[in-house]
Amino acid sequence: MSASAPVLIAGAGIGGLATALALAKRNITSHVFEKREELSEEGAGIQIGPNGVHVLRRLGIADALAPLTASPDCLRVMDGGSGRELTRLPLGTAIEMRHGAPYWTTHRADLHSLLLKAATDNEFVTLSLGVEVRSAESQAYGVRTLLADGAFCEGRALVIADGLWSRLRETHFNAAPLRYAGKQAYRGVIAASQLPPELTVTSTHIWLGPNAHAVHYPVRGGTEIAIVIVLSEPKTAPGWGHEVPAQSLQDRFAAAAPALHQLIGKPKTWRGWPLMTLPGLATWTEGSIALLGDAAHPILPYLAQGAVMALEDAETLGDHFAARLDDIPLALKMYATERQSRTERVARASLRNGRTYHLSGPFAAARNAVLRTAPPDRLLASYDWLYGHRRAT
């Protein structure tokens, strides 16, 4: 196949667009297919640790995103029942000095729109909306894909970045069905002026409670506050992004600290979605086909690293692809080998965090005692492996 043939990418979410830009930085053309007719990234807030900011800098969009972000000065860990602060971890200048990049909080739609603009403006990237990749065949010279309209498209490789509910993953990687994790998440956004006075606009807060936790932080330059609640629920609610009355969530937090209870009543609209897990895949690659982002490794949100892992994936794939253009299957295998160990560690750590957040009774009391007495710098240092990660350039 001609060296000018594009890399095909299924999905124009954060992972797919970042992959296209990572390849473009290495003068490699790509063609991104997105089944939606219009792109509007769902969701509310997103946290981007220093490891993610480093990738955004190398993709060339960090400067444009910076005015739309906030850099919280600290993480306040709160007891959801008493309202007592358990510990305060330094972020802001402290984490930037530690890892060479800030800790950003922003709106997911702002990040996605800038990735989309950068990809649309890039001569190495072609974007086709309303076009779904149905299947693909890895061949000696590359891949041949079947589109939903019956047409075929050929390329040097296919990167499957079509998200958690990926059909291509099921088709090509014999993936087991997604499993409900027993948790429902809910998201809302309010104006910063609506934040209860006991809370700090410039900080990230996490509230810990039995079988529940809540997180809120500034977005859009600090003018808005994104709120996420995660509750243990034995049965999954129907739909994805279904609307939830604020009163029903307030009722679930009737015994919570007054500031938290008041905060939950502020958003005009709450939307909920089930948290899902994917049994581990034996491989992420099949010849010149590879999985990326949530299609490969959906991660529960207790470390706020799902989107950042997709950004890291994109950069790693771009590096290996450019280094081995004469052997694309090997390049993709090396990408997968490097990323699987990293994402598996992040997934395990995230799961541990979730269990810790939702403790009750004497176990919660022991957790709180540790948080109150442990030096904040030591707690922050325990995440150096996560936030300090960056690939050599």
Side-chain angles (χ1 to χ4, degrees), residues 44 48 58 109 119 125 139 206 246 260 284 287 345 361 378:
I48 308 174
R58 288 190 284 271
V125 181
Q139 300 179 337
I206 180 166
L260 177 57
W284 292 5
R345 184 179 184 185
R378 184 180 301 172

Side-chain angles (χ1 to χ4, degrees), residues 313-367:
D313 285 354
E315 180 177 50
T316 304
L317 186 146
D319 281 346
H320 284 295
F321 201 98
R324 296 166 184 84
L325 290 173
D326 58 340
D327 193 341
I328 301 305
L330 176 59
L332 296 179
K333 282 184 179 180
M334 296 187 72
Y335 144 76
T337 298
E338 179 177 335
R339 291 303 301 160
Q340 280 181 288
S341 59
R342 167 77 168 164
T343 56
E344 285 170 3
R345 184 179 184 185
V346 172
R348 289 193 301 269
S350 183
L351 184 60
R352 286 196 301 271
N353 265 15
R355 290 170 176 162
T356 301
Y357 292 169
H358 289 203
L359 291 173
S360 59
F363 295 105
R367 173 202 64 204

